[in-house]
Amino acid sequence: MAKNKNGSANSAGNTNASSSVDELLLAALERGDDSFETGRYLVTFKDGAGDQGLQSLGTQGMRVADARDFDGQAATLENIGDADAVVFPEIGVALIGGNAAQERSMGAQMEIASDSPIEIIEPEHFVFAEQFFREAAYLSATKTNGNGSNGGGVNEYLRGFLEATDTITKHLQHGKGYTEVDELDEETMVLGATWGLNVCKVPPSLRSGLGIRVAVLDTGFNIGHPDFVGRPIIGATFVGQPVQDLHSHGTHCIGTACGPKSPAGTTPRYGIGYRSSIFAGKVLSNTGSSVGGSVLAGMNWAIANRCPVISMSLGGTGGVQAAYTAAGQAALNNGCLIIAAAGNSSGPTGYPANSPTIMSVASLDMSLSPSSFSNFGKVDIAAPGRDVFSSAPMPRRYTTMSGTSMATPHVAGCAALWAETSPNMRGLTLWRRLQASAKRLPFSTARVGAGLVQAP
């Protein structure tokens, strides 16, 4: 039985299943607890007991929303009305509001009967685009110590994050977009392919990702980007904002995983699965923040739509969470593979990549050495993550970014090419192929896993 690390199972309260990310962030600051918890709970049901679990929540008097009642199972938390809970049937997980849990004395410390359909109850946590984890952590440390040398606790981190989002919002309001990395040096652009695609052996590959659905769960996508005209794109939002990407993180990741083979002019090739079908799931807001429930809703949607490749450049710092592990296993059971960023805090791999059922990706520099920021520990494979050139929302069109966020879509794109080679190349078989074909590197598996991902 998992326990709330604060030892207070029901200290949350004042949160609903439909609360927005901003409301949950402010509630967390008001509580002042030492965690990244939102105040809501994730209930993971025993294998095959999802429907029984849904019924059990109903018998406790909860108003329960079912993702199957939404088109394509694209359940948006903002649209569940006054429901106390929402169930994601593909992955066997339910999100419960803090108020509803408190009224029923439910929480992470609750004893669970042996005949209950519930496997575990965990606190829901905040999730961030990997780029912003470093930004907010820096602001947190600076605010507390004045020199940026040490972290300042979770509350200072959250305050730092809110300050970071204010900065991002101002950039967006002035039409500048946002990136924490260097501007593209136009003089370096030549015909050919990016360094990342070259070291992954993408250009000589005869595969294009044709017929493969690639889901990228991120900040959305710049619908109408000229490099993607005519491409099949399915969008869904899980954060109460349009799929249109006002951030740039999601558009950049989709560009690497699914971008064109021959961009206009002298622009080098930056995309891998150029004939794949794009499923753009907006699970991070335009300021790069989110919560576990929105991310899981996106994972449920991608699996329900049987996307063989699911790319997630997001996460948080903390231990393995059962809900993500259940989602990863559900993906494998349905011929899908979830690929996630290990994280950029130079520490242990964070969630959801630390789940044993989710492929974890570390970042490499141009020298094929592990990037200084790349997390370590549970790492399954590595890919180019430093100075990665890809698409950006218009009018900018292109930009360069760094992070395990950028390494992850390299693996996702190569996975799409491998998936095209055979209808049997799915799920765990695809996972093993990616690792078996990786280029070995002279570093520990804790830093680079099986090595550098390679295209077929």
Side-chain angles (χ1 to χ4, degrees):
M1 176 71 208
K3 295 183 178 180
N4 184 318
K5 53 191 172 189
N6 300 321
S8 56
N10 291 318
S11 61
N14 300 320
T15 63
N16 298 311
S18 60
S19 295
S20 68
V21 175
D22 286 347
E23 290 172 337
L24 295 170
L25 278 168
L26 291 173
L29 286 172
E30 290 175 358
R31 288 196 306 275
D33 59 10
D34 186 21
S35 74
F36 284 106
E37 298 170 10
T38 67
R40 303 189 298 197
Y41 292 93
L42 294 170
V43 176
T44 300
F45 300 117
K46 293 175 181 174
D47 187 26
D51 287 339
Q52 187 183 352
L54 190 156
Q55 294 173 4
S56 73
L57 297 180
T59 59
Q60 296 183 59
M62 290 193 192
R63 299 178 294 272
V64 183
D66 188 334
R68 286 172 292 198
D69 293 333
F70 294 77
D71 187 25
Q73 293 203 31
T76 304
L77 301 184
E78 288 74 13
N79 292 334
I80 61 174
D82 61 352
D84 299 309
V86 57
V87 173
F88 309 120
E90 295 291 332
I91 60 178
V93 174
L95 170 72
I96 299 178
N99 291 333
Q102 195 166 39
E103 290 170 5
R104 294 160 181 82
S105 299
M106 294 182 69
Q109 289 186 320
M110 188 183 79
E111 294 296 330
I112 299 175
S114 59
D115 61 348
S116 170
I118 296 175
E119 178 71 31
I120 191 171
I121 301 175
E122 301 169 303
E124 182 196 41
H125 289 75
F126 291 104
V127 178
F128 307 97
E130 285 294 350
Q131 245 66 21
F132 293 97
F133 218 82
R134 282 184 292 161
E135 178 79 6
Y138 174 78
L139 288 172
S140 165
T142 302
K143 187 180 182 68
T144 301
N145 304 317
N147 57 14
S149 58
N150 293 300
V154 172
N155 266 296
E156 287 305 323
Y157 175 88
L158 293 177
R159 293 185 194 283
F161 178 79
L162 288 173
E163 291 180 14
T165 60
D166 286 343
T167 301
I168 296 162
T169 301
K170 290 176 182 176
H171 277 264
L172 293 173
Q173 288 172 341
H174 289 84
K176 297 179 180 178
Y178 178 84
T179 177
E180 67 173 29
V181 295
D182 297 335
E183 296 285 342
L184 172 67
D185 181 355
E186 296 292 349
E187 294 183 356
T188 66
M189 302 312 302
V190 294
L191 288 172
T194 61
W195 79 267
L197 266 60
N198 281 322
V199 298
C200 293
K201 306 297 184 188
V202 171
S205 175
L206 299 179
R207 304 295 178 177
S208 61
L210 181 64
I212 304 302
R213 296 180 172 189
V214 178
V216 179
L217 307 181
D218 212 283
T219 59
F221 182 61
N222 179 208
I223 306 298
H225 194 291
D227 286 8
F228 294 81
V229 172
R231 294 287 300 279
I233 300 173
I234 305 297
T237 179
F238 303 92
V239 292
Q241 298 174 345
V243 173
Q244 186 73 356
D245 183 18
L246 299 182
H247 183 283
S248 77
H249 196 264
T251 300
H252 195 276
C253 291
I254 288 176
T256 299
C258 310
K261 182 179 182 181
S262 302
T266 59
T267 305
R269 178 181 177 182
Y270 60 85
I272 301 176
Y274 60 91
R275 286 181 175 170
S276 59
S277 298
I278 300 169
F279 280 64
K282 191 182 184 90
V283 301
L284 296 172
S285 72
N286 287 322
T287 54
S289 63
S290 191
V291 292
S294 294
V295 175
L296 290 162
M299 297 167 84
N300 186 80
W301 167 76
I303 296 170
N305 283 280
R306 299 297 183 261
C307 296
V309 180
I310 303 171
S311 184
M312 299 173 57
S313 295
L314 51 81
T317 299
V320 175
Q321 296 181 22
Y324 291 124
T325 300
Q329 187 60 58
L332 295 174
N333 293 345
N334 286 285
C336 308
L337 175 62
I338 298 177
I339 301 163
N344 303 329
S345 59
S346 304
T349 300
Y351 59 79
N354 56 10
S355 286
T357 56
I358 294 176
M359 175 172 263
S360 172
V361 183
S363 170
L364 299 174
D365 291 349
M366 289 185 184
S367 63
L368 301 188
S369 300
S371 301
S372 58
F373 53 76
S374 188
N375 282 355
F376 51 81
K378 196 270 185 181
V379 171
D380 298 302
I381 203 164
R386 176 78 77 175
D387 298 331
V388 175
F389 173 80
S390 184
S391 50
M394 298 295 288
R396 195 172 189 179
R397 192 161 181 161
Y398 306 111
T399 191
T400 300
M401 291 186 176
S402 297
T404 54
S405 285
M406 285 62 249
T408 300
H410 276 93
V411 177
C414 289
L417 304 189
W418 279 108
E420 183 189 355
T421 64
S422 169
N424 296 321
M425 192 66 71
R426 300 287 187 272
L428 192 57
T429 301
L430 178 57
W431 181 324
R432 289 170 174 165
R433 173 60 71 180
L434 286 166
Q435 288 192 301
S437 59
K439 178 180 179 179
R440 300 298 182 263
L441 299 173
F443 302 99
S444 70
T445 55
R447 296 304 307 270
V448 300
L452 171 63
V453 69
Q454 300 285 277

